Amino acid sequence: MNAAILACAPSDLIWNGINWADVLRQVRRLQARIVKATQEGRHNKVKALQWLLTHSFSGKALAVKRVTENQGKNTAGVDKVTWKTPGAKTNAIASMQRRGYSPRPLRRVLIPKKNGKTRPLGIPTMKDRAMQALYLLALEPVAETTADPNSYGFRPERSTADAGEQCFIVLARKSSAEWVLEADIKGCFDNISHDWMIKNVLTDKLMLQKWLKAGYVYQNELFPTEAGTPQGGIASPALANMTLDGLEAMLSARFPKSKQSGLKMNMVRYADDFIITGNSEEWLENEVKPAVVEFLGERGLVLSPEKTKITHIKKGFDFLGWNIRKYDDKLLIKPSKSNVEAHLGKIRGVIKDNKTAKQANLIKMLNPILRGWANYHRHVVAKKTFNRVDAEVWSMLWKWATRRHPNKGAK
């Protein structure tokens, strides 16, 4: 479908008449060619294919479909515009041009974290989201081809359950490593070096630079962005992953005989949280940690001193909402105490805020929270935890019911 058809046909009919199976096939075919060119090290060929994809009707249509059908479809940026009608979506496809494109600043909101602090979230406009989604279609094949083998965060067909399984594989045996370096990067998304990304990420440099330097608006005041990639941008997780990719290869190159010499080095990473296993506390502290610090320093990142620590497996550590610990040579992965308390606190808050709500409405609010949490932990050792949460929730609901119906008996 070309520009002439877009210009003369009614916009509602164009959107409703798109053959999505064909669109997906066209995009997948170009993505497969990008993967092949990346594997062969032909960077100019990769750039040419990325240009084809980002200028194709199929790529633009798929990008608009993604940003108008995801969870944030009703959340507007600084221009307060959303695309809800078929006509608006068709016009959006026609407006997606590289020439003359200038991104708007992000609308910043602050999300509360469990430690009492806040996490900044940047919300781009619909147009900027669609453009990022389009260029992500061309970047993702490169990111997936060059990614670390044991990186599990924000990647297609991978999840926290896979990261948990890999932790079990590297720690469960009697002969497995007993020491674990728990690493946490301080403000990862906010501090990645722009210069490093522009120099090393294989994508349209001009577009990337425009997004990184777009700035943000908070309380009607414009602020510049000197470093980092905004949390909330569609391309941000892929850019953060590409920044940290290569850490596993660097460690393998720095310690080539770590497997044979009994150093038992393994790495598992989910986004900016990662663990590295080793045979001794001293080796992790004096050799592995400095190598990680050096790797991150090149990218403008530092480890968080309060969250980065080295732990013995018998003492256990928390990772991705689970507690991973050995009990008499048997490794058990359970829901962590902080995760359970946060979950119960959330349920308590919902019940407290709906003291006078109808029973059916309260059930409708609680079910997705309970089901989602249970599905997250169903792969691990969670029977006792589930029983405890079940009892706590029953107790909360009993109090809610007796307050709501003070004149009714227990039956």
Side-chain angles (χ1 to χ4, degrees):
M1 201 180 287
N2 57 28
I5 298 172
L6 278 175
C8 62
S11 54
D12 287 28
L13 289 177
I14 291 170
W15 181 261
N16 293 329
I18 292 173
N19 182 343
W20 290 109
D22 190 49
V23 161
L24 197 59
R25 191 161 48 248
Q26 298 273 14
V27 170
R28 287 280 159 83
R29 187 173 59 83
L30 280 168
Q31 286 181 325
R33 291 175 67 192
I34 292 170
V35 168
K36 193 175 177 216
T38 306
Q39 287 169 337
E40 292 168 356
R42 300 168 65 191
H43 288 176
N44 288 335
K45 177 78 170 172
V46 171
K47 287 178 184 175
L49 290 166
Q50 285 180 326
W51 181 274
L52 268 178
L53 178 47
T54 54
H55 288 71
S56 67
F57 174 82
S58 295
K60 291 175 183 179
L62 201 60
V64 171
K65 182 177 168 68
R66 177 175 175 179
V67 300
T68 54
E69 293 183 4
N70 63 9
Q71 277 189 320
K73 63 185 178 182
N74 297 322
T75 308
V78 289
D79 60 355
K80 298 179 181 172
V81 171
T82 55
W83 300 333
K84 292 185 178 176
T85 64
K89 294 171 189 178
T90 306
N91 294 335
I93 296 171
S95 73
M96 290 172 71
Q97 304 291 334
R98 182 181 183 273
R99 182 177 291 176
Y101 168 72
S102 181
R104 301 284 296 273
L106 294 97
R107 179 165 71 87
R108 173 161 283 196
V109 293
L110 299 176
I111 308 292
K113 287 162 69 172
K114 62 184 178 186
N115 61 2
K117 296 179 182 176
T118 56
R119 184 196 303 280
L121 187 72
I123 302 169
T125 63
M126 291 297 284
K127 169 90 177 272
D128 295 335
R129 263 179 265 175
M131 290 295 276
Q132 282 193 32
L134 174 61
Y135 280 82
L136 181 60
L137 287 173
L139 179 63
E140 206 165 54
V142 179
E144 283 301 298
T145 310
T146 58
D148 283 347
N150 291 305
S151 157
Y152 298 94
F154 305 118
R155 291 182 62 192
E157 311 297 331
R158 292 191 171 210
S159 68
T160 48
D162 298 316
E165 183 186 14
Q166 185 61 22
C167 288
F168 187 85
I169 289 167
V170 301
L171 291 166
R173 293 178 182 172
K174 281 187 179 179
S175 58
S176 296
E178 295 192 334
W179 291 93
V180 178
L181 169 64
E182 303 170 64
D184 186 275
I185 300 167
K186 194 174 182 179
C188 178
F189 281 84
D190 299 329
N191 296 310
I192 301 170
S193 164
H194 284 178
D195 292 340
W196 189 93
M197 274 195 281
I198 291 163
K199 191 176 174 184
N200 292 280
V201 175
L202 192 55
T203 188
D204 190 316
K205 308 288 185 195
L206 182 67
M207 296 297 280
L208 179 59
Q209 189 163 14
K210 282 181 177 179
W211 286 322
L212 294 176
K213 301 292 184 188
Y216 63 90
V217 172
Y218 182 61
Q219 295 179 341
N220 296 324
E221 192 177 343
L222 178 65
F223 295 90
T225 42
E226 302 300 335
T229 173
Q231 293 190 54
I234 280 183
S236 294
L239 291 171
N241 261 341
M242 290 186 83
T243 304
L244 297 174
D245 283 335
L247 178 56
E248 205 170 333
M250 181 278 293
L251 289 171
S252 298
R254 185 73 68 93
F255 309 104
K257 295 181 179 175
S258 60
K259 298 278 193 292
Q260 298 93 314
S261 58
L263 295 173
K264 302 175 183 177
M265 183 183 71
N266 289 284
M267 178 179 158
V268 183
R269 177 165 72 83
Y270 190 92
D272 59 337
D273 287 335
F274 59 93
I275 62 158
I276 301 169
T277 66
N279 71 334
S280 74
E281 186 178 11
E282 294 74 25
W283 181 68
L284 287 172
E285 181 66 54
N286 300 327
E287 296 194 44
V288 175
K289 193 176 171 183
V292 171
V293 168
E294 185 187 326
F295 176 89
L296 296 175
E298 293 170 9
R299 292 149 175 78
L301 300 170
V302 293
L303 289 174
S304 166
E306 61 268 18
K307 291 185 185 175
T308 301
K309 48 188 181 284
I310 296 167
T311 317
H312 195 275
I313 194 64
K314 292 276 174 81
K315 192 180 175 189
F317 63 95
D318 289 353
F319 186 56
L320 303 176
W322 298 312
N323 180 262
I324 302 171
R325 184 177 167 187
K326 258 187 181 171
Y327 300 81
D328 298 326
D329 292 330
K330 187 172 181 66
L331 187 83
L332 298 183
I333 303 178
K334 303 177 179 181
S336 68
K337 282 183 182 177
S338 58
N339 185 276
V340 174
E341 292 311 317
H343 174 61
L344 289 172
K346 189 175 183 181
I347 293 168
R348 210 170 277 117
V350 170
I351 294 172
K352 197 175 178 182
D353 293 342
N354 292 278
K355 286 174 181 170
T356 58
K358 285 185 180 175
Q359 187 174 311
N361 292 348
L362 184 64
I363 290 168
K364 202 180 283 184
M365 280 182 257
L366 289 177
N367 271 353
I369 299 170
L370 293 164
R371 193 183 297 119
W373 185 82
N375 282 340
Y376 184 86
H377 292 293
R378 66 182 177 165
H379 313 282
V380 301
V381 182
K383 185 181 177 183
K384 283 185 179 176
T385 308
F386 283 177
N387 287 340
R388 187 206 147 192
V389 168
D390 190 41
E392 292 263 4
V393 171
W394 190 91
S395 174
M396 290 178 211
L397 289 173
W398 181 254
K399 284 175 186 171
W400 176 87
T402 52
R403 184 190 178 281
R404 194 102 185 318
H405 305 285
N407 298 325
K408 289 187 178 179
K411 274 190 180 180

